[in-house]
Amino acid sequence: PSEPAAAVVDWGDAATWPSGADIVLGSDLVYAREAVPQLLALLPALLPEGGGGAFYYVAPETDRLGEVEFLDGLVGLGWYRTEEAAPPRFMDNVLDGVADEDFRNLFPELATRTYTLYTFTRHPPPTQSAPSLAAAVPLPGFAIAAAAAVRQPDHD
């Protein structure tokens, strides 16, 4: 297996988009409808059709403009979507040197909002229940809700 790698991408500049990712993590990406077309172009480029990769997305239930269009837009492009409640550990403090109380003061919404973990794939979900990201990967707390990373395959 390849080593995880993070990439900084400019949603509007395809020259910054890596390709052939196995996994893309995203959180709380949509704040306005204007972001939706860029995201709907970016994700298929990161996880090309025919690949076995997945896009994991954590978002609060906020009714932000564009959120529904983004989620439904991926399905409209042929992606398969599953949803589950984000596990409580996704809200844990992962900030080094920051006390739990200070973390809760920095991110009070973690205690008051409902978060959903969406999984998008290019292939239908298996008929048997496969492990979700929440169950399969021991991601520490807020890391999934605070960062987006791209895992790329080896290029040997």
Side-chain angles (χ1 to χ4, degrees):
S2 61
E3 290 294 316
V8 176
V9 297
D10 176 340
W11 299 352
D13 182 3
T16 68
W17 302 353
S19 63
D22 296 323
I23 295 173
V24 174
L25 302 177
S27 67
D28 216 5
L29 296 173
V30 180
Y31 289 83
R33 284 190 179 102
E34 294 77 20
V36 173
Q38 292 175 333
L39 285 167
L40 293 179
L42 170 65
L43 287 164
L46 296 176
L47 294 162
E49 197 163 349
F55 169 50
Y56 298 99
Y57 179 57
V58 174
E61 307 296 326
T62 59
D63 294 325
R64 285 194 183 126
L65 295 177
E67 187 77 25
V68 170
E69 291 88 341
F70 171 58
L71 297 171
D72 290 347
L74 284 171
V75 172
L77 292 173
W79 293 68
Y80 295 88
R81 176 176 74 198
T82 59
E83 302 176 20
E84 62 185 290
R89 75 173 192 268
F90 280 19
M91 309 314 145
D92 291 346
N93 179 3
V94 296
L95 299 178
D96 288 334
V98 175
D100 289 347
E101 181 180 356
D102 293 336
F103 179 83
R104 287 189 297 273
N105 287 333
L106 287 169
F107 302 102
E109 68 276 9
L110 293 176
T112 60
R113 290 188 178 158
T114 300
Y115 287 81
T116 301
L117 171 60
Y118 300 92
T119 302
F120 289 90
T121 60
R122 297 290 198 145
H123 304 286
T127 53
Q128 292 183 338
S129 180
S132 69
L133 176 71
V137 180
L139 290 175
F142 195 67
I144 191 165
V150 177
R151 182 170 173 244
Q152 298 183 19
D154 290 327
H155 297 287
D156 296 340

